[in-house]
């Protein structure tokens, strides 16, 4: 695999930023694209450093794009940093031009862990014309519930979202995005450890998705909020993408 670390000026962020892109050694023109998002406190290097992603990717024709999103919760913050537009639009558009990637919904996927799982839901559902399937790993899917449970985050969340009322029925309200989905909604593959502190949130999320009757698989495994599980999951995800599986899987 070719691992590319790219520093560039973002039009949306109006500053220098960076991303990692893994490319197949011998692309055959039939490969897929995975936008892979990091969690809170991590960066564009996390998936490469913490998992066997590179080894798994060698067996596929998938291009993997990992942008840097800081502690943004993948939103257009009140403080002016437009990480929502940066990750949701600019990153994929630039990579399509730089690396001649397909602009093909059937071959474009998104995944993320923890905060990145929230981002995968937000962009996968908010840009349903772009992504055919989203992979949601141990997500923190409920901003308002997290805000209420962590009052020490009030100033930080205000800088990102404004107020809890401003989250309601917005692009940061995952329940609202689920409710807006139509027949062309992307498929959702959800994964969470049963001892994960976000498991209850993920269980509620799964119920919301099922009520809407979206195509959905919820895989639960023993374990917590940990890279050991996400390493297993990303291996399976790349295999699913390679074969475009649409079946329940057991890890």
């Amino acid at each position: 695999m070719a691992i590319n670390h790219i520093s560039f000026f973002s039009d949306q962020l109006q500053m220098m930023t960076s991303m990692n892109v893994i490319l197949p050694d011998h692309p055959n023109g039939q490969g897929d694209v995975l936008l892979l998002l990091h969690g809170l406190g991590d960066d564009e290097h996390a998936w490469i450093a913490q998992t066997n992603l590179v080894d798994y990717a060698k067996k596929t024709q998938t291009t993997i794009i990992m942008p840097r999103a800081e502690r943004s919760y993948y939103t257009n913050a009140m403080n002016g940093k437009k990480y929502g537009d940066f990750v949701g639009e600019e990153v994929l558009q630039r990579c399509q031009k730089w690396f001649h990637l397909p602009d093909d919904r059937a071959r474009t996927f998104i995944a993320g862990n923890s905060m990145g799982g929230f981002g995968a839901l937000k962009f996968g559902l908010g840009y349903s014309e772009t992504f055919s399937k989203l992979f949601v790993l141990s997500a923190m899917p409920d901003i308002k519930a997290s805000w209420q449970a962590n009052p020490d985050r009030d100033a930080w969340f205000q800088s990102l979202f404004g107020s809890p009322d401003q989250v309601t029925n917005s692009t940061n309200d995952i329940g609202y995005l689920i409710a807006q989905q139509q027949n062309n909604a992307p498929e959702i593959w959800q994964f969470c450890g049963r001892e994960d502190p976000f498991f209850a949130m993920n269980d509620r999320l799964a119920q919301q998705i099922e009520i809407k009757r979206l195509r959905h698989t919820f895989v639960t495994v023993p374990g917590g909020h940990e890279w050991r599980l996400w390493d297993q999951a990303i291996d399976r995800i790349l295999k699913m993408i390679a074969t475009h599986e649409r079946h329940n899987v057991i890890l």
Side-chain angles (χ1 to χ4, degrees):
M1 307 300 296
I3 304 173
N4 303 268
H5 182 69
I6 306 168
S7 296
F8 64 102
F9 184 85
S10 163
D11 295 333
Q12 292 293 347
L13 299 178
Q14 285 295 294
M15 68 179 194
M16 293 296 295
T17 187
S18 56
M19 70 172 86
N20 286 324
V21 180
I22 298 177
L23 296 168
D25 274 335
H26 304 287
N28 60 14
Q30 303 299 315
D32 301 297
V33 178
L34 173 64
L35 181 58
L36 182 58
L37 307 182
H38 68 74
L40 185 65
D42 285 325
D43 59 20
E44 72 273 26
H45 303 298
W47 279 99
I48 293 174
Q50 298 290 344
T51 73
N52 295 303
L53 175 67
V54 174
D55 287 339
Y56 302 146
K58 288 177 182 177
K59 306 169 188 175
T60 77
Q61 283 284 315
T62 302
T63 295
I64 305 170
I65 303 167
M66 294 161 282
R68 185 185 189 97
E70 309 292 345
R71 295 167 61 85
S72 68
Y73 266 96
Y74 298 94
T75 194
N76 289 343
M78 294 294 165
N79 64 14
K81 289 292 187 290
K82 296 183 178 180
Y83 277 98
D85 293 343
F86 169 64
V87 178
E89 299 176 12
E90 183 178 2
V91 166
L92 194 56
Q93 290 169 4
R94 280 182 176 255
C95 286
Q96 286 169 344
K97 292 178 181 178
W98 287 338
F99 302 111
H100 306 289
L101 301 178
D103 182 9
D104 181 351
R105 181 180 188 262
R107 296 162 63 186
T108 307
F109 306 84
I110 187 168
N113 65 317
S114 196
M115 181 186 79
F118 171 81
L121 285 162
K122 174 176 178 170
F123 299 129
L125 297 172
Y127 294 86
S128 58
E129 72 283 0
T130 299
F131 301 101
S132 62
K133 188 167 183 175
L134 46 148
F135 301 92
V136 183
L137 311 181
S138 312
M140 200 301 295
D142 191 333
I143 295 295
K144 291 177 69 175
S146 178
W147 200 332
Q148 184 176 20
N150 298 278
D152 57 309
R153 296 185 174 185
D154 189 59
W156 172 33
F157 275 21
Q158 282 184 30
S159 73
L160 295 177
F161 308 111
S163 70
D165 287 344
Q166 287 173 277
V167 172
T168 302
N169 294 343
S170 77
T171 57
N172 294 308
D173 183 343
I174 300 303
Y176 170 75
L177 293 178
I178 290 170
Q180 300 305 304
Q181 298 305 299
Q182 303 298 322
N183 292 335
N184 66 337
E187 186 175 356
I188 302 171
W189 190 83
Q190 185 185 358
F191 173 94
C192 194
R194 289 189 287 274
E195 289 73 53
D196 193 302
F198 295 148
F199 183 78
M201 279 190 185
N202 276 267
D203 194 42
R204 290 194 296 271
L205 172 67
Q207 294 175 39
Q208 289 177 298
I209 296 169
E210 292 296 331
I211 288 171
K212 185 63 178 177
R213 297 182 181 275
L214 304 181
R215 291 173 298 157
H216 175 235
T217 299
F218 185 21
V219 176
T220 68
V221 295
H225 203 72
E226 53 188 305
W227 280 106
R228 176 181 63 85
L229 298 187
W230 302 329
D231 177 72
Q232 297 173 21
I234 196 62
D235 182 28
R236 190 64 184 125
I237 286 167
L238 290 175
K239 290 174 180 175
M240 281 191 282
I241 290 173
T243 58
H244 289 202
E245 286 183 6
R246 295 189 176 275
H247 306 291
N248 292 352
V249 295
I250 300 175
L251 296 179

